[in-house]
Amino acid sequence: MTTAAQERSIPTPLGLLLATVAGIAMPAQGRVNGALAAELGSGTLAALVSFTVGLVIVGLGVLIFPKSRSSIKQLPTFLKEKRFPWWYMLAGVIGAYFVLGQGLTITLLGVALFTVANVAGQTISGLFTDAIGFGPGGKRPITGIRFIGSFLAIVGVLWAVWPKIAAQGASGDWLLPVLFPLSAGLLFAFQQAMNGTQTRYYRTPLPATFFNFAAGTLALGVVVLITSFGNPLPGHFPTGWWMYLGGAFGNVFIATGAILVRHMGVLLTGLGLVAGQLLGSLALDVFAPVPGSVVDANTLWGTALTLVAVMIASIPSSARMPWEKR
């Protein structure tokens, strides 16, 4: 039975604003986790700590809000009735794969090239998942306008981070490692779709977010356990409280994406998050720069082009380019 909560729709402009705001949390999480990794001497362990904190926060939310507790109690019914496959609850493993890729390849690729490859994967996969109707919002065809908007978004991100890529110098050593962030981006759209499908039935994003962090925490725990053999874990953790906020930032963009993907589709939700990611990175580079931060005309124009690309991609699917059949 369709409930009133399910019938309400989020207008696209509001949804894009929410996605952009949530996207700002992504570079903030990266900065926090990077600082924690430097203190611990392990990016993988820092990711595990981040996921664990996120799991605790969303777990408390599930316990506090009766609607979330009630929704989780209905999980056996949802699975029995095949509302969604049980493996949708493992979507968080994709998030673990992403942070594992950061730890393994970002020193070889640099943040800029990692970001471009990841965004390219997200955008391509967003078009595909919408086209086949994998997400909870149903099928959304690959129109000329959506394709142009997606292409311009990738160009905008490349333009924004080009100074950092150029500063690294040309090298063929990145050809193989770049497959990690590219594949993580391709999988990210499916993660959003799976979280969004669960949220459609739970009618609240907290249960899907909880299972997302639970699966990711378990996966990263196994990785840390395996890699810790012969390489003991640090005997102490930093006391700076802000270094443990990564999980909270993760809660924001995972939960927001789980809500919006049903109303806007996987592609547009992802592009909104990317726009927020660029704006957040720009703000951090301006107001809290770290060594290697670069802000110039390329950064500003690239970010602006990405925002324009998102607006183009948000044009209703009923619109067609001159060469398309109506």
Side-chain angles (χ1 to χ4, degrees):
M1 181 180 295
T2 303
T3 66
Q6 287 176 303
E7 292 173 352
R8 285 198 293 266
S9 179
I10 298 176
T12 298
L14 175 59
L16 284 175
L17 177 62
L18 293 173
T20 302
V21 172
I24 293 174
M26 299 173 77
Q29 183 193 47
R31 179 69 66 87
V32 168
N33 285 350
L36 181 60
E39 290 287 332
L40 297 176
S42 170
T44 307
L45 179 59
L48 175 59
V49 172
S50 176
F51 264 74
T52 302
V53 171
L55 177 61
V56 171
I57 293 174
V58 73
L60 290 174
V62 169
L63 291 175
I64 291 172
F65 295 103
K67 185 176 181 179
S68 296
R69 296 199 307 271
S70 175
S71 296
I72 286 186
K73 289 179 181 179
Q74 297 181 58
L75 178 59
T77 301
F78 294 154
L79 296 178
K80 183 179 180 180
E81 296 178 353
K82 297 183 178 179
R83 303 284 184 91
F84 54 83
W86 64 268
W87 49 268
Y88 272 33
M89 294 186 294
L90 301 179
V93 174
I94 296 175
Y97 178 77
F98 171 79
V99 297
L100 180 61
Q102 281 183 316
L104 294 177
T105 66
I106 211 162
T107 54
L108 298 173
L109 299 174
V111 175
L113 186 54
F114 184 96
T115 300
V116 171
N118 188 254
V119 168
Q122 285 183 43
T123 305
I124 294 170
S125 189
L127 279 170
F128 176 74
T129 51
D130 274 349
I132 65 175
F134 185 80
K139 291 185 178 181
R140 298 170 187 262
I142 303 176
T143 62
I145 289 176
R146 285 166 66 83
F147 179 82
I148 290 172
S150 301
F151 176 76
L152 289 179
I154 297 174
V155 172
V157 173
L158 179 60
W159 192 357
V161 301
W162 183 254
K164 297 179 182 178
I165 294 177
Q168 294 175 212
S171 171
D173 295 341
W174 58 269
L175 291 175
L176 187 58
V178 80
L179 294 177
F180 219 137
L182 179 63
S183 60
L186 290 170
L187 291 170
F188 180 72
F190 288 93
Q191 179 188 18
Q192 285 188 307
M194 288 188 283
N195 286 336
T197 299
Q198 293 180 71
T199 298
R200 175 185 179 186
Y201 294 104
Y202 293 131
R203 291 179 289 115
T204 168
L206 290 183
T209 306
F210 174 80
F211 289 122
N212 193 94
F213 275 86
T217 300
L218 180 61
L220 285 169
V222 171
V223 173
V224 170
L225 182 63
I226 293 173
T227 57
S228 65
F229 287 109
N231 186 25
L233 298 176
H236 69 282
F237 285 79
T239 57
W241 60 269
W242 60 272
M243 293 187 188
Y244 301 95
L245 293 178
F249 290 128
N251 288 150
V252 171
F253 64 79
I254 292 296
T256 303
I259 296 172
L260 297 179
V261 72
R262 181 185 172 210
H263 301 276
M264 301 197 306
V266 180
L267 173 67
L268 202 52
T269 299
L271 290 180
L273 292 172
V274 167
Q277 184 177 349
L278 283 183
L279 290 173
S281 297
L282 178 61
L284 285 173
D285 285 344
V286 171
F287 298 108
V290 296
S293 296
V294 179
V295 177
D296 61 8
N298 289 310
T299 308
L300 299 176
W301 284 113
T303 301
L305 178 59
T306 303
L307 295 174
V308 171
V310 173
M311 289 188 285
I312 292 174
S314 68
I315 295 175
S317 58
S318 58
R320 292 288 188 271
M321 299 299 292
W323 63 81
E324 293 181 289
K325 294 182 180 180
R326 295 182 180 273

